[in-house]
Amino acid sequence: MKFLSDFKYKDLQNKICLLRVDLNIENENIQKDNLRILSILPTIKFLISRGVKLVILSHRGRPEEKLQIKIQKFNKFSLRPFAKILSFLLRKPVDFISFNELGLINKTKQKIQKAKQGSVFLAENLRLFPEEEKNDAKFAENLASLGDFYINDAFSVSHRKNASVVAITKYLPSYAGLLLEKEIKNLDKIRGLARKRGLIIVLGGAKISDKIVLLNNFQKLADYFLIGGGIANTMFAGQGLPIGESLYESKMAPFAERLLKSLSKKIILPKDVIIDKRKILDIGPKTIEKYKNIIKKAKTIIWNGPMGYFENPKFAKGSQEIGKAIMANKKAFAVIGGGETISVVSSVKCQASRNMFVSTGGGAMLEYLAGKKLPGIKALK
Ligand code: ADP
Ligand code: MG
């Protein structure tokens, strides 16, 4: 795999780059979810400063097929608002390539070719074309015809076999962007360290079924799984404990029960919880203390999934205390990931420190950590 950071200035000059990023952010989260936007800026600036013309590609949401005609009404699927946001952050115009313009590839190509060095374009949501999720070769070839080379800087989508992530690499010289490089190097680092010095996994969030790769693949390597959130509730249900109307996954309760039997020494469940209106909504103070003590001694930590319903400040304490404890352990190396987990981290105003890496990948991070080969990364090799 070749990294963008290895390129010399003159290798890139005057070229047109197709840059795949992840701008899959909901309207409500545009303000909050700034890690995702900010983390792609280094690659964009790196390219612009070398006189490269950029065509930024992304998806947004999961529009149904045949929705294309109605796109104007469904602005939650349009990437148009991000042209303005990027333009503000980059302090330069960002030209939007609409759905119709993407259909008229030759005309759009001319427009890009006429633009001056360092110009930036943002293309409309690629998932408005059903071919994107089908990894369609013809669609990828058409897209590829817009540029001279391709950069994947969308780690969080690299586990998806989509045209702008996988098929496109057949038609253009393809490299890893600065963000993808950082993700790969940090996740490789934690995997290496975990093998040498043990590992603590803090696991919360909504569904066990989303996190199963982690539970299955780290049974040997992890010393402890500290469990919270809906995952803990599902495990309680698996043990036959009453959980009232708490968030849990009933179909996963038998799996949880088996897992608890086989890993009884490693899986640590909350010993007290915060309950409101018949719902378990956070881990309790004794549990926080216990988890903090384990985190304090850890040398390698992975954290995915909040400990409770942290969106309500009344139930955010568990997640925030875990976040603080991880940050306070300067001797450990920690990787933190997952869409909601990252919001917790920003809410405790953590400074990204050297002992910690905040990953932009949710599902992709879990799969990569578990040792799976991600199609988007394989395609760059
Ligand atoms: P991530 O995106 O970080 O991987 P998930 O998507 O798995 O995390 O889960 C996050 C969601 O789970 C949050 O919206 C949070 O409110 C919810 N959650 C966690 N624990 C509970 C709980 N006990 N009750 C209700 N919701 C919970
Ligand atoms: Mg989530």
Side-chain angles (χ1 to χ4, degrees), residues 204-207 210-211 228-230 233 246-247 280-282 304-311 337-342 362:
K207 290 187 188 163
D210 286 345
K211 327 271 180 186
N233 297 343
S246 305
L247 173 79
I280 302 172
L281 293 169
D282 199 5
N304 172 250
M307 295 288 101
Y309 177 47
F310 74 98
E311 286 91 342
E340 270 81 25
T341 315
I342 292 175

PDB file of all heavy atoms in Angstrom, residues 204-207 210-211 228-230 233 246-247 280-282 304-311 337-342 362, ligand 1:
ATOM      1  N   GLY A 204     -19.686  -0.926  25.745  1.00  0.00           N
ATOM      2  CA  GLY A 204     -21.055  -0.532  26.054  1.00  0.00           C
ATOM      3  C   GLY A 204     -21.803  -0.280  24.765  1.00  0.00           C
ATOM      4  O   GLY A 204     -21.489  -0.875  23.739  1.00  0.00           O
ATOM      5  N   GLY A 205     -22.787   0.617  24.823  1.00  0.00           N
ATOM      6  CA  GLY A 205     -23.552   0.919  23.622  1.00  0.00           C
ATOM      7  C   GLY A 205     -24.844   0.161  23.571  1.00  0.00           C
ATOM      8  O   GLY A 205     -25.259  -0.447  24.557  1.00  0.00           O
ATOM      9  N   ALA A 206     -25.472   0.198  22.399  1.00  0.00           N
ATOM     10  CA  ALA A 206     -26.835  -0.281  22.304  1.00  0.00           C
ATOM     11  C   ALA A 206     -26.932  -1.796  22.119  1.00  0.00           C
ATOM     12  O   ALA A 206     -27.612  -2.474  22.882  1.00  0.00           O
ATOM     13  CB  ALA A 206     -27.542   0.451  21.168  1.00  0.00           C
ATOM     14  N   LYS A 207     -26.246  -2.302  21.095  1.00  0.00           N
ATOM     15  CA  LYS A 207     -26.516  -3.691  20.705  1.00  0.00           C
ATOM     16  C   LYS A 207     -25.296  -4.588  20.762  1.00  0.00           C
ATOM     17  O   LYS A 207     -24.242  -4.262  20.222  1.00  0.00           O
ATOM     18  CB  LYS A 207     -27.010  -3.707  19.257  1.00  0.00           C
ATOM     19  CG  LYS A 207     -28.379  -3.140  19.052  1.00  0.00           C
ATOM     20  CD  LYS A 207     -28.735  -3.402  17.618  1.00  0.00           C
ATOM     21  CE  LYS A 207     -29.998  -2.729  17.171  1.00  0.00           C
ATOM     22  NZ  LYS A 207     -30.036  -2.712  15.712  1.00  0.00           N
ATOM     23  N   ASP A 210     -23.953  -5.611  17.273  1.00  0.00           N
ATOM     24  CA  ASP A 210     -23.012  -4.717  16.587  1.00  0.00           C
ATOM     25  C   ASP A 210     -21.567  -4.960  17.018  1.00  0.00           C
ATOM     26  O   ASP A 210     -20.632  -4.579  16.331  1.00  0.00           O
ATOM     27  CB  ASP A 210     -23.306  -3.242  16.935  1.00  0.00           C
ATOM     28  CG  ASP A 210     -24.544  -2.722  16.235  1.00  0.00           C
ATOM     29  OD1 ASP A 210     -25.004  -3.375  15.278  1.00  0.00           O
ATOM     30  OD2 ASP A 210     -25.057  -1.662  16.657  1.00  0.00           O
ATOM     31  N   LYS A 211     -21.396  -5.532  18.185  1.00  0.00           N
ATOM     32  CA  LYS A 211     -20.052  -5.590  18.775  1.00  0.00           C
ATOM     33  C   LYS A 211     -19.525  -7.004  18.862  1.00  0.00           C
ATOM     34  O   LYS A 211     -18.516  -7.268  19.511  1.00  0.00           O
ATOM     35  CB  LYS A 211     -20.063  -4.991  20.189  1.00  0.00           C
ATOM     36  CG  LYS A 211     -21.024  -3.864  20.398  1.00  0.00           C
ATOM     37  CD  LYS A 211     -20.417  -2.532  20.079  1.00  0.00           C
ATOM     38  CE  LYS A 211     -21.411  -1.430  20.307  1.00  0.00           C
ATOM     39  NZ  LYS A 211     -20.972  -0.131  19.897  1.00  0.00           N
ATOM     40  N   GLY A 228     -21.076  -2.303  29.976  1.00  0.00           N
ATOM     41  CA  GLY A 228     -22.097  -1.331  30.382  1.00  0.00           C
ATOM     42  C   GLY A 228     -23.143  -1.187  29.292  1.00  0.00           C
ATOM     43  O   GLY A 228     -23.150  -1.948  28.318  1.00  0.00           O
ATOM     44  N   GLY A 229     -24.028  -0.210  29.434  1.00  0.00           N
ATOM     45  CA  GLY A 229     -25.017   0.111  28.399  1.00  0.00           C
ATOM     46  C   GLY A 229     -26.006  -1.006  28.121  1.00  0.00           C
ATOM     47  O   GLY A 229     -26.247  -1.875  28.968  1.00  0.00           O
ATOM     48  N   GLY A 230     -26.565  -0.979  26.923  1.00  0.00           N
ATOM     49  CA  GLY A 230     -27.545  -1.979  26.528  1.00  0.00           C
ATOM     50  C   GLY A 230     -26.945  -3.378  26.517  1.00  0.00           C
ATOM     51  O   GLY A 230     -27.653  -4.376  26.707  1.00  0.00           O
ATOM     52  N   ASN A 233     -27.365  -4.842  29.840  1.00  0.00           N
ATOM     53  CA  ASN A 233     -28.767  -5.238  30.038  1.00  0.00           C
ATOM     54  C   ASN A 233     -29.055  -6.585  29.372  1.00  0.00           C
ATOM     55  O   ASN A 233     -29.742  -7.436  29.938  1.00  0.00           O
ATOM     56  CB  ASN A 233     -29.712  -4.173  29.468  1.00  0.00           C
ATOM     57  CG  ASN A 233     -29.555  -2.835  30.184  1.00  0.00           C
ATOM     58  OD1 ASN A 233     -28.999  -2.783  31.280  1.00  0.00           O
ATOM     59  ND2 ASN A 233     -30.033  -1.769  29.562  1.00  0.00           N
ATOM     60  N   SER A 246     -35.790  -1.878  30.263  1.00  0.00           N
ATOM     61  CA  SER A 246     -34.484  -1.404  29.791  1.00  0.00           C
ATOM     62  C   SER A 246     -34.235  -1.770  28.340  1.00  0.00           C
ATOM     63  O   SER A 246     -34.768  -2.755  27.834  1.00  0.00           O
ATOM     64  CB  SER A 246     -33.376  -2.033  30.627  1.00  0.00           C
ATOM     65  OG  SER A 246     -33.578  -1.788  31.984  1.00  0.00           O
ATOM     66  N   LEU A 247     -33.390  -0.969  27.708  1.00  0.00           N
ATOM     67  CA  LEU A 247     -32.941  -1.270  26.354  1.00  0.00           C
ATOM     68  C   LEU A 247     -32.129  -2.554  26.362  1.00  0.00           C
ATOM     69  O   LEU A 247     -31.165  -2.689  27.120  1.00  0.00           O
ATOM     70  CB  LEU A 247     -32.052  -0.111  25.862  1.00  0.00           C
ATOM     71  CG  LEU A 247     -31.354  -0.307  24.522  1.00  0.00           C
ATOM     72  CD1 LEU A 247     -32.339  -0.055  23.381  1.00  0.00           C
ATOM     73  CD2 LEU A 247     -30.155   0.622  24.393  1.00  0.00           C
ATOM     74  N   ILE A 280     -32.963   0.621  33.217  1.00  0.00           N
ATOM     75  CA  ILE A 280     -31.569   0.781  33.635  1.00  0.00           C
ATOM     76  C   ILE A 280     -30.918   1.736  32.644  1.00  0.00           C
ATOM     77  O   ILE A 280     -30.881   1.460  31.445  1.00  0.00           O
ATOM     78  CB  ILE A 280     -30.816  -0.570  33.592  1.00  0.00           C
ATOM     79  CG1 ILE A 280     -31.506  -1.593  34.499  1.00  0.00           C
ATOM     80  CG2 ILE A 280     -29.349  -0.383  33.968  1.00  0.00           C
ATOM     81  CD1 ILE A 280     -30.947  -3.007  34.355  1.00  0.00           C
ATOM     82  N   LEU A 281     -30.422   2.870  33.146  1.00  0.00           N
ATOM     83  CA  LEU A 281     -29.956   3.901  32.222  1.00  0.00           C
ATOM     84  C   LEU A 281     -28.481   4.274  32.379  1.00  0.00           C
ATOM     85  O   LEU A 281     -27.932   5.008  31.565  1.00  0.00           O
ATOM     86  CB  LEU A 281     -30.835   5.151  32.353  1.00  0.00           C
ATOM     87  CG  LEU A 281     -32.290   4.917  31.880  1.00  0.00           C
ATOM     88  CD1 LEU A 281     -33.179   6.080  32.277  1.00  0.00           C
ATOM     89  CD2 LEU A 281     -32.363   4.690  30.379  1.00  0.00           C
ATOM     90  N   ASP A 282     -27.855   3.774  33.440  1.00  0.00           N
ATOM     91  CA  ASP A 282     -26.412   4.053  33.590  1.00  0.00           C
ATOM     92  C   ASP A 282     -25.823   3.051  34.572  1.00  0.00           C
ATOM     93  O   ASP A 282     -26.557   2.369  35.289  1.00  0.00           O
ATOM     94  CB  ASP A 282     -26.208   5.490  34.110  1.00  0.00           C
ATOM     95  CG  ASP A 282     -24.781   6.014  33.866  1.00  0.00           C
ATOM     96  OD1 ASP A 282     -23.975   5.305  33.206  1.00  0.00           O
ATOM     97  OD2 ASP A 282     -24.478   7.130  34.328  1.00  0.00           O
ATOM     98  N   ASN A 304     -15.276   1.031  23.332  1.00  0.00           N
ATOM     99  CA  ASN A 304     -16.326   1.237  22.343  1.00  0.00           C
ATOM    100  C   ASN A 304     -17.691   1.108  22.999  1.00  0.00           C
ATOM    101  O   ASN A 304     -18.011   0.091  23.599  1.00  0.00           O
ATOM    102  CB  ASN A 304     -16.181   0.206  21.204  1.00  0.00           C
ATOM    103  CG  ASN A 304     -17.353   0.244  20.246  1.00  0.00           C
ATOM    104  OD1 ASN A 304     -18.158  -0.671  20.199  1.00  0.00           O
ATOM    105  ND2 ASN A 304     -17.475   1.314  19.494  1.00  0.00           N
ATOM    106  N   GLY A 305     -18.484   2.148  22.862  1.00  0.00           N
ATOM    107  CA  GLY A 305     -19.860   2.120  23.346  1.00  0.00           C
ATOM    108  C   GLY A 305     -20.031   2.764  24.711  1.00  0.00           C
ATOM    109  O   GLY A 305     -19.353   2.383  25.666  1.00  0.00           O
ATOM    110  N   PRO A 306     -20.948   3.746  24.815  1.00  0.00           N
ATOM    111  CA  PRO A 306     -21.195   4.422  26.096  1.00  0.00           C
ATOM    112  C   PRO A 306     -21.786   3.493  27.150  1.00  0.00           C
ATOM    113  O   PRO A 306     -22.427   2.492  26.839  1.00  0.00           O
ATOM    114  CB  PRO A 306     -22.195   5.519  25.741  1.00  0.00           C
ATOM    115  CG  PRO A 306     -22.468   5.439  24.302  1.00  0.00           C
ATOM    116  CD  PRO A 306     -21.721   4.309  23.704  1.00  0.00           C
ATOM    117  N   MET A 307     -21.569   3.851  28.396  1.00  0.00           N
ATOM    118  CA  MET A 307     -22.010   3.036  29.532  1.00  0.00           C
ATOM    119  C   MET A 307     -23.491   3.209  29.859  1.00  0.00           C
ATOM    120  O   MET A 307     -24.027   2.490  30.696  1.00  0.00           O
ATOM    121  CB  MET A 307     -21.191   3.401  30.782  1.00  0.00           C
ATOM    122  CG  MET A 307     -19.710   3.083  30.686  1.00  0.00           C
ATOM    123  SD  MET A 307     -19.402   1.303  30.780  1.00  0.00           S
ATOM    124  CE  MET A 307     -19.149   0.901  29.076  1.00  0.00           C
ATOM    125  N   GLY A 308     -24.122   4.229  29.259  1.00  0.00           N
ATOM    126  CA  GLY A 308     -25.530   4.470  29.556  1.00  0.00           C
ATOM    127  C   GLY A 308     -26.148   5.443  28.576  1.00  0.00           C
ATOM    128  O   GLY A 308     -25.531   5.799  27.565  1.00  0.00           O
ATOM    129  N   TYR A 309     -27.349   5.876  28.907  1.00  0.00           N
ATOM    130  CA  TYR A 309     -28.087   6.816  28.068  1.00  0.00           C
ATOM    131  C   TYR A 309     -27.521   8.215  28.319  1.00  0.00           C
ATOM    132  O   TYR A 309     -28.142   9.050  28.960  1.00  0.00           O
ATOM    133  CB  TYR A 309     -29.574   6.708  28.423  1.00  0.00           C
ATOM    134  CG  TYR A 309     -30.479   7.673  27.702  1.00  0.00           C
ATOM    135  CD1 TYR A 309     -30.379   7.859  26.330  1.00  0.00           C
ATOM    136  CD2 TYR A 309     -31.448   8.399  28.401  1.00  0.00           C
ATOM    137  CE1 TYR A 309     -31.201   8.758  25.674  1.00  0.00           C
ATOM    138  CE2 TYR A 309     -32.280   9.297  27.749  1.00  0.00           C
ATOM    139  CZ  TYR A 309     -32.149   9.468  26.383  1.00  0.00           C
ATOM    140  OH  TYR A 309     -32.953  10.355  25.732  1.00  0.00           O
ATOM    141  N   PHE A 310     -26.322   8.444  27.783  1.00  0.00           N
ATOM    142  CA  PHE A 310     -25.553   9.650  28.152  1.00  0.00           C
ATOM    143  C   PHE A 310     -26.100  10.922  27.521  1.00  0.00           C
ATOM    144  O   PHE A 310     -25.730  12.019  27.917  1.00  0.00           O
ATOM    145  CB  PHE A 310     -24.085   9.486  27.734  1.00  0.00           C
ATOM    146  CG  PHE A 310     -23.899   9.624  26.249  1.00  0.00           C
ATOM    147  CD1 PHE A 310     -23.470  10.836  25.706  1.00  0.00           C
ATOM    148  CD2 PHE A 310     -24.199   8.585  25.397  1.00  0.00           C
ATOM    149  CE1 PHE A 310     -23.337  10.979  24.326  1.00  0.00           C
ATOM    150  CE2 PHE A 310     -24.069   8.722  24.023  1.00  0.00           C
ATOM    151  CZ  PHE A 310     -23.638   9.913  23.488  1.00  0.00           C
ATOM    152  N   GLU A 311     -26.998  10.760  26.514  1.00  0.00           N
ATOM    153  CA  GLU A 311     -27.561  11.958  25.880  1.00  0.00           C
ATOM    154  C   GLU A 311     -28.340  12.795  26.897  1.00  0.00           C
ATOM    155  O   GLU A 311     -28.457  13.998  26.759  1.00  0.00           O
ATOM    156  CB  GLU A 311     -28.476  11.576  24.708  1.00  0.00           C
ATOM    157  CG  GLU A 311     -27.729  11.095  23.455  1.00  0.00           C
ATOM    158  CD  GLU A 311     -27.520   9.582  23.425  1.00  0.00           C
ATOM    159  OE1 GLU A 311     -27.639   8.937  24.495  1.00  0.00           O
ATOM    160  OE2 GLU A 311     -27.222   9.044  22.347  1.00  0.00           O
ATOM    161  N   GLY A 337     -13.390   4.438  20.032  1.00  0.00           N
ATOM    162  CA  GLY A 337     -14.106   4.578  18.767  1.00  0.00           C
ATOM    163  C   GLY A 337     -15.579   4.281  18.910  1.00  0.00           C
ATOM    164  O   GLY A 337     -16.030   3.751  19.931  1.00  0.00           O
ATOM    165  N   GLY A 338     -16.324   4.637  17.855  1.00  0.00           N
ATOM    166  CA  GLY A 338     -17.777   4.476  17.852  1.00  0.00           C
ATOM    167  C   GLY A 338     -18.407   5.858  17.831  1.00  0.00           C
ATOM    168  O   GLY A 338     -17.988   6.737  18.599  1.00  0.00           O
ATOM    169  N   GLY A 339     -19.405   6.050  16.972  1.00  0.00           N
ATOM    170  CA  GLY A 339     -20.013   7.362  16.785  1.00  0.00           C
ATOM    171  C   GLY A 339     -20.397   8.034  18.087  1.00  0.00           C
ATOM    172  O   GLY A 339     -19.998   9.175  18.360  1.00  0.00           O
ATOM    173  N   GLU A 340     -21.152   7.333  18.926  1.00  0.00           N
ATOM    174  CA  GLU A 340     -21.627   7.946  20.166  1.00  0.00           C
ATOM    175  C   GLU A 340     -20.516   8.034  21.207  1.00  0.00           C
ATOM    176  O   GLU A 340     -20.458   8.977  21.989  1.00  0.00           O
ATOM    177  CB  GLU A 340     -22.811   7.165  20.745  1.00  0.00           C
ATOM    178  CG  GLU A 340     -24.161   7.640  20.245  1.00  0.00           C
ATOM    179  CD  GLU A 340     -24.503   7.081  18.874  1.00  0.00           C
ATOM    180  OE1 GLU A 340     -23.968   5.994  18.519  1.00  0.00           O
ATOM    181  OE2 GLU A 340     -25.273   7.718  18.143  1.00  0.00           O
ATOM    182  N   THR A 341     -19.647   7.048  21.219  1.00  0.00           N
ATOM    183  CA  THR A 341     -18.548   7.076  22.193  1.00  0.00           C
ATOM    184  C   THR A 341     -17.701   8.331  21.997  1.00  0.00           C
ATOM    185  O   THR A 341     -17.273   8.965  22.960  1.00  0.00           O
ATOM    186  CB  THR A 341     -17.672   5.818  22.038  1.00  0.00           C
ATOM    187  OG1 THR A 341     -18.528   4.688  21.905  1.00  0.00           O
ATOM    188  CG2 THR A 341     -16.771   5.623  23.230  1.00  0.00           C
ATOM    189  N   ILE A 342     -17.501   8.684  20.744  1.00  0.00           N
ATOM    190  CA  ILE A 342     -16.707   9.871  20.440  1.00  0.00           C
ATOM    191  C   ILE A 342     -17.379  11.131  20.977  1.00  0.00           C
ATOM    192  O   ILE A 342     -16.718  12.031  21.482  1.00  0.00           O
ATOM    193  CB  ILE A 342     -16.477   9.990  18.923  1.00  0.00           C
ATOM    194  CG1 ILE A 342     -15.572   8.860  18.448  1.00  0.00           C
ATOM    195  CG2 ILE A 342     -15.848  11.322  18.569  1.00  0.00           C
ATOM    196  CD1 ILE A 342     -15.385   8.838  16.958  1.00  0.00           C
ATOM    197  N   GLY A 362     -16.383   3.285  13.254  1.00  0.00           N
ATOM    198  CA  GLY A 362     -17.196   2.562  14.219  1.00  0.00           C
ATOM    199  C   GLY A 362     -17.073   1.084  13.906  1.00  0.00           C
ATOM    200  O   GLY A 362     -16.174   0.391  14.389  1.00  0.00           O
TER     201      GLY A 362
HETATM  202  P1  ADP B   1     -21.197   3.691  19.398  1.00  0.00           P
HETATM  203  O1  ADP B   1     -21.810   4.461  18.259  1.00  0.00           O
HETATM  204  O2  ADP B   1     -20.281   4.540  20.228  1.00  0.00           O
HETATM  205  O3  ADP B   1     -20.569   2.413  18.964  1.00  0.00           O
HETATM  206  P2  ADP B   1     -23.734   2.507  20.021  1.00  0.00           P
HETATM  207  O4  ADP B   1     -24.273   3.019  18.736  1.00  0.00           O
HETATM  208  O5  ADP B   1     -23.530   1.059  20.157  1.00  0.00           O
HETATM  209  O6  ADP B   1     -22.370   3.279  20.400  1.00  0.00           O
HETATM  210  O7  ADP B   1     -24.708   2.918  21.215  1.00  0.00           O
HETATM  211  C1  ADP B   1     -24.895   4.216  21.622  1.00  0.00           C
HETATM  212  C2  ADP B   1     -26.280   4.441  22.119  1.00  0.00           C
HETATM  213  O8  ADP B   1     -26.622   3.527  23.129  1.00  0.00           O
HETATM  214  C3  ADP B   1     -26.390   5.812  22.718  1.00  0.00           C
HETATM  215  O9  ADP B   1     -27.337   6.566  21.980  1.00  0.00           O
HETATM  216  C4  ADP B   1     -26.852   5.572  24.146  1.00  0.00           C
HETATM  217  O10 ADP B   1     -27.837   6.466  24.587  1.00  0.00           O
HETATM  218  C5  ADP B   1     -27.441   4.192  24.058  1.00  0.00           C
HETATM  219  N1  ADP B   1     -27.423   3.530  25.373  1.00  0.00           N
HETATM  220  C6  ADP B   1     -26.368   3.024  26.025  1.00  0.00           C
HETATM  221  N2  ADP B   1     -26.746   2.494  27.206  1.00  0.00           N
HETATM  222  C7  ADP B   1     -28.078   2.678  27.296  1.00  0.00           C
HETATM  223  C8  ADP B   1     -29.063   2.346  28.265  1.00  0.00           C
HETATM  224  N3  ADP B   1     -28.740   1.717  29.409  1.00  0.00           N
HETATM  225  N4  ADP B   1     -30.331   2.675  28.007  1.00  0.00           N
HETATM  226  C9  ADP B   1     -30.677   3.316  26.875  1.00  0.00           C
HETATM  227  N5  ADP B   1     -29.799   3.661  25.924  1.00  0.00           N
HETATM  228  C10 ADP B   1     -28.516   3.345  26.118  1.00  0.00           C
END
